[in-house]
């Protein structure tokens, strides 16, 4: 604990009397850091930091790259802008060498400011000086990583921009007629990097490589390989890496899984005002990587051998692992409507993410679905669209949607709900223009102008690629624990662990697992549980 005598030698506290110094001494955290140790992270809750000894370096994530943005030396402050403006910390900070830093939470700061107004004046003056440099950083972060050249209604352009959004890459979309150089239509869409490199009709893998996203495993031998980078897989990666396991996550598109497309998750503990799926995934991905987990994207699993404990990636890379964890989740269920394939990505979309908000701007939006994801999307898009209509086949939403969400829909004048209704036809020339809706109560069909149709009717497990040793139920979901034992396919005398499949050492968690609760919080819980079972399995199993 710092003493009043030591505090009196720090410029911010020099003019304080004995009572005020005593208050500071019992209110601050006296933090001692070793070289390289983190003090705070970008986005953390506001607080005021005062450097006593050593040097603190500030870093900020700018376009996916950690940039050094400043230093703080003895007597200098960090956090004055967030404290004065009630925002979170704009940058991370860590000790460059051995350091000592005082941390005062904002409540204590404002108490001190009332006792000693000169402190508030000094911190406010420092905050003003910092704001100019923050403006420069804000301008720099606005520069996009990539430029996408293509028509806004093009299905491939939508896939590319979704991929970039989900992988936290900034971009701008330029219409071919507005591009600096004319392009051959056969080369579109194109992606242009900041150095001028141009990729014509690129695959997601090519974009990932060009954008320096990790697509190649750093090694060939791991303690646990996790298939799928949704909330369940990322939670398992966080826990596995934190406990010293060599952990690899293989994601075929982008981290976040189906939850990453959710416009808002309202019932996830710790976020009183909800959190979007992509934000939750981004934080989990950052946390997993910080703890040492590897996460590679645009890679699919071609096959796995449960006996040899090997995984073969597309392209032929073979990875050895002591334990395999299936967290591949589910994929949106497709709907059978005539000509729907013609409009996919050009008016019709499976699932809906925050990054799709531009599709709804000023349009009449229709959503097929009666679950929470559909309801959340309806509320979100109502803020931008001319109207939102939710179409459900059932008698009401009560059986499949949370009450709080139904109440929000009923109170929203821009949202209407049509039950006992189905889309039976689609029409349009260059893109979707109208849909035919069958009213099952009256037996009539009517045509409605529609610029966008989102389909959110549930999801299915895509597990056909799994070997026969991994048993599944009639719907393709993976059997685990007691169900794996009762299936007759469990080969050992011992009981399988609760999340272990019929292949010893192969575990499954989250939505892909038979009998799981299809909620983000449940998947996150299973991701943590899975690593606990992994440790138990490794303790039982002789390792080479």
């Amino acid at each position: 604990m710092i003493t009043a005598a030591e505090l009196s030698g720090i410029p911010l506290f020099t003019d304080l009397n004995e009572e005020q110094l005593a208050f500071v001494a019992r209110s601050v955290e006296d933090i001692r850091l070793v070289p390289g140790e983190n003090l705070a992270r970008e986005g953390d809750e506001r607080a005021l930091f005062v450097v006593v000894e050593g040097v603190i370096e500030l870093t900020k994530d700018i376009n996916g790259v950690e940039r050094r943005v400043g230093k703080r030396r003895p007597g200098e402050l960090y956090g004055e802008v967030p404290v004065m403006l009630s925002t979170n910390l704009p940058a991370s900070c860590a000790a460059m060498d051995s350091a000592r830093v005082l941390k005062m939470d904002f409540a204590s700061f404002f108490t001190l400011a009332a006792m000693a107004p000169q402190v508030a004046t000094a911190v406010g003056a420092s905050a003003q000086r910092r704001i100019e440099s923050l403006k420069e950083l804000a301008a720099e972060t606005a520069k996009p990583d990539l430029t996408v050249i293509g028509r806004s209604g093009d299905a491939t352009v939508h896939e590319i921009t979704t991929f970039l959004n989900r992988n936290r890459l900034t971009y701008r979309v330029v219409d071919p007629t507005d591009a600096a150089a004319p392009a051959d239509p056969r080369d579109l869409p194109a992606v242009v990097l900041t150095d001028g490199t141009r990729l014509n009709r690129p695959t997601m893998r090519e974009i990932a490589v060009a954008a320096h996203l990790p697509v190649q495993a750093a090694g060939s031998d791991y303690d646990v390989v996790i298939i799928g980078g949704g909330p369940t897989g990322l939670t398992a990666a966080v826990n596995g890496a934190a406990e010293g396991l060599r952990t690899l996550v293989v994601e075929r598109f982008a981290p976040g899984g189906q939850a990453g497309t959710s416009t808002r998750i309202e019932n996830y503990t710790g976020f009183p005002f909800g959190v979007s799926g992509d934000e939750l995934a981004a934080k989990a991905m950052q946390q997993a990587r910080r703890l040492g987990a590897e996460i590679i994207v645009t890679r699919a699993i071609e096959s796995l051998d449960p006996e040899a404990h090997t995984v073969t990636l597309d392209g032929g890379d073979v990875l050895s692992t002591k334990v395999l964890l299936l967290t591949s989740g589910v994929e949106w269920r497709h709907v059978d409507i005539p000509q729907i394939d013609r409009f996919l990505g050009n008016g019709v979309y499976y699932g809906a993410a925050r990054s799709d908000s531009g599709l709804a701007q000023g349009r009449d939006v229709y959503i097929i679905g009666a679950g929470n994801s559909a309801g959340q999307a309806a509320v979100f898009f109502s803020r931008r669209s001319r109207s939102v209509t939710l179409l459900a086949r059932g008698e009401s939403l009560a059986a499949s949607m949370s009450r709080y969400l139904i109440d929000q829909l009923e109170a929203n004048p821009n949202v209407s709900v049509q039950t006992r209704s189905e889309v039976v036809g689609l029409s349009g020339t260059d893109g979707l223009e109208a849909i035919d809706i069958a009213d099952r109560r009256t037996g009539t069909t009517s045509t409605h102008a529609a610029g966008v149709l989102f389909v959110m009717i549930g999801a299915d497990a895509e597990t056909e690629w799994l070997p026969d040793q991994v048993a599944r139920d009639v719907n393709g979901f993976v059997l685990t624990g007691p169900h794996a034992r009762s299936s007759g396919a469990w080969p050992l005398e011992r009981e399988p662990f609760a999340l272990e499949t019929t292949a010893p050492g192969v575990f499954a968690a989250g939505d892909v697992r038979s009998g799981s609760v299809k909620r983000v919080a449940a998947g996150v819980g299973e991701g943590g549980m899975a690593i606990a079972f992994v440790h138990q399995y490794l303790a039982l199993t002789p390792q080479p």
Side-chain angles (χ1 to χ4, degrees):
M1 176 178 174
I2 196 164
T3 65
E6 290 175 299
L7 285 170
S8 64
I10 298 172
L12 182 64
F13 306 124
T14 299
D15 297 333
L16 300 185
N17 59 37
E18 289 185 8
E19 179 186 355
Q20 293 163 346
L21 288 172
F23 171 79
V24 174
R26 63 176 182 267
S27 299
V28 298
E29 294 180 49
D30 188 357
I31 303 171
R32 296 179 183 272
L33 304 166
V34 299
E37 186 176 0
N38 290 314
L39 175 64
R41 286 281 174 183
E42 180 178 348
D44 282 356
E45 189 174 29
R46 56 183 168 146
L48 183 67
F49 299 89
V50 184
V51 181
V52 180
E53 301 170 5
V55 179
I56 299 299
E57 183 176 59
L58 308 184
T59 59
K60 186 171 180 63
D61 190 320
I62 300 176
N63 292 338
V65 178
E66 191 172 56
R67 289 278 303 276
R68 296 179 176 87
V69 295
K71 294 179 181 178
R72 298 292 188 271
R73 294 176 172 81
E76 295 184 330
L77 313 178
Y78 172 56
E80 57 270 53
V81 174
V83 164
M84 299 304 291
L85 300 182
S86 298
T87 61
N88 290 342
L89 296 180
S92 301
C93 54
M96 294 188 68
D97 47 26
S98 296
R100 185 184 186 189
V101 182
L102 303 181
K103 177 182 178 182
M104 177 177 283
D105 63 61
F106 66 90
S108 298
F109 169 75
F110 285 115
T111 300
L112 176 63
M115 298 168 60
Q118 69 269 31
V119 170
T121 301
V123 173
S126 180
Q128 261 188 320
R129 293 192 296 270
R130 302 291 184 198
I131 284 175
E132 289 304 316
S133 60
L134 288 175
K135 287 180 180 178
E136 294 174 7
L137 283 175
E140 185 173 358
T141 58
K143 297 177 182 177
D145 299 305
L146 305 160
T147 298
V148 181
I149 302 175
R151 293 185 303 104
S152 59
D154 186 280
T156 307
V157 170
H158 179 260
E159 182 184 15
I160 290 173
T161 56
T162 299
F163 176 78
L164 297 177
N165 272 302
R166 295 275 298 278
N167 281 288
R168 316 298 286 185
L169 293 169
T170 60
Y171 65 91
R172 65 183 181 125
V173 179
V174 176
D175 190 272
T177 58
D178 297 330
D184 187 327
R186 292 172 296 182
D187 293 336
L188 297 178
V191 172
V192 182
L193 280 62
T194 53
D195 64 2
T197 302
R198 183 186 179 109
L199 308 174
N200 293 325
R201 302 186 68 82
T203 64
M204 298 306 112
R205 176 82 55 80
E206 290 170 338
I207 295 173
V209 170
H212 304 293
L213 296 175
V215 300
Q216 193 74 33
S220 60
D221 188 16
Y222 293 88
D223 293 319
V224 57
V225 171
I226 301 167
I227 300 177
T232 304
L234 292 174
T235 301
V238 166
N239 283 267
E243 295 174 19
L245 297 176
R246 289 168 296 170
T247 304
L248 172 70
V249 178
V250 181
E251 169 56 48
R252 65 179 179 180
F253 188 68
Q258 188 187 30
T261 68
S262 179
T263 53
R264 182 150 297 270
I265 301 167
E266 296 269 13
N267 54 1
Y268 190 78
T269 306
F271 294 88
F273 303 106
V275 60
S276 67
D278 57 356
E279 181 185 356
L280 185 65
K283 290 180 182 297
M285 178 174 64
Q286 184 181 31
Q287 185 179 13
R289 282 180 169 154
R290 179 177 65 83
L291 291 169
E294 283 184 57
I295 303 172
I296 60 175
V297 297
T298 69
R299 300 303 297 269
I301 306 295
E302 284 192 346
S303 63
L304 68 90
D305 187 333
E307 295 180 1
H309 280 222
T310 59
V311 174
T312 303
L313 305 183
D314 56 342
D317 296 339
V318 179
L319 307 175
S320 297
T321 179
K322 296 175 183 175
V323 175
L324 186 72
L325 175 57
L326 302 173
T327 60
S328 49
V330 291
E331 294 293 329
W332 286 110
R333 186 174 300 144
H334 286 204
V335 65
D336 185 17
I337 302 174
Q339 299 192 73
I340 190 170
D341 291 344
R342 177 185 160 205
F343 297 104
L344 286 178
N346 191 14
V348 177
Y349 307 91
Y350 284 104
R354 290 178 65 85
S355 58
D356 292 326
S357 58
L359 298 172
Q361 190 70 44
R363 293 184 170 185
D364 295 309
V365 175
Y366 286 79
I367 301 172
I368 303 176
N372 279 4
S373 294
Q376 290 155 354
V379 172
F380 176 73
F381 290 127
S382 70
R383 303 166 191 164
R384 289 176 172 264
S385 63
R386 185 161 52 194
S387 69
V388 177
T389 303
L390 195 66
L391 303 171
R393 291 194 302 176
E395 290 286 350
S396 72
L397 301 177
S400 54
M401 188 179 293
S402 297
R403 186 68 243 176
Y404 79 89
L405 204 46
I406 296 174
D407 292 340
Q408 287 184 28
L409 295 178
E410 291 176 346
N412 194 321
N414 206 31
V415 177
S416 61
V417 178
Q418 292 182 212
T419 57
R420 296 285 311 273
S421 298
E422 294 182 58
V423 176
V424 294
L426 309 169
S427 59
T429 304
D430 295 325
L432 181 67
E433 296 174 4
I435 63 175
D436 298 327
I437 301 175
D439 186 327
R440 299 308 183 192
R441 283 194 181 87
T442 63
T444 60
T445 298
S446 54
T447 301
H448 302 260
V452 184
L453 174 66
F454 293 103
V455 182
M456 308 174 77
I457 59 169
D460 296 316
E462 292 192 355
T463 55
E464 299 85 358
W465 61 276
L466 289 171
D468 293 340
Q469 293 99 313
V470 180
R472 285 142 277 172
D473 65 19
V474 293
N475 294 313
F477 292 92
V478 178
L479 299 175
T480 59
H483 297 295
R485 169 61 114 180
S486 62
S487 70
W490 176 249
L492 303 181
E493 290 186 8
R494 70 167 176 86
E495 294 293 319
F497 294 106
L499 298 180
E500 195 170 14
T501 72
T502 51
V506 179
F507 293 76
D511 289 355
V512 75
R513 190 179 68 81
S514 179
S516 66
V517 178
K518 305 300 189 280
R519 288 288 185 269
V520 173
V524 166
E526 289 193 10
M529 287 171 54
I531 296 302
F533 290 130
V534 165
H535 281 295
Q536 294 179 45
Y537 170 81
L538 293 175
L540 281 179
T541 309
Q543 300 300 321

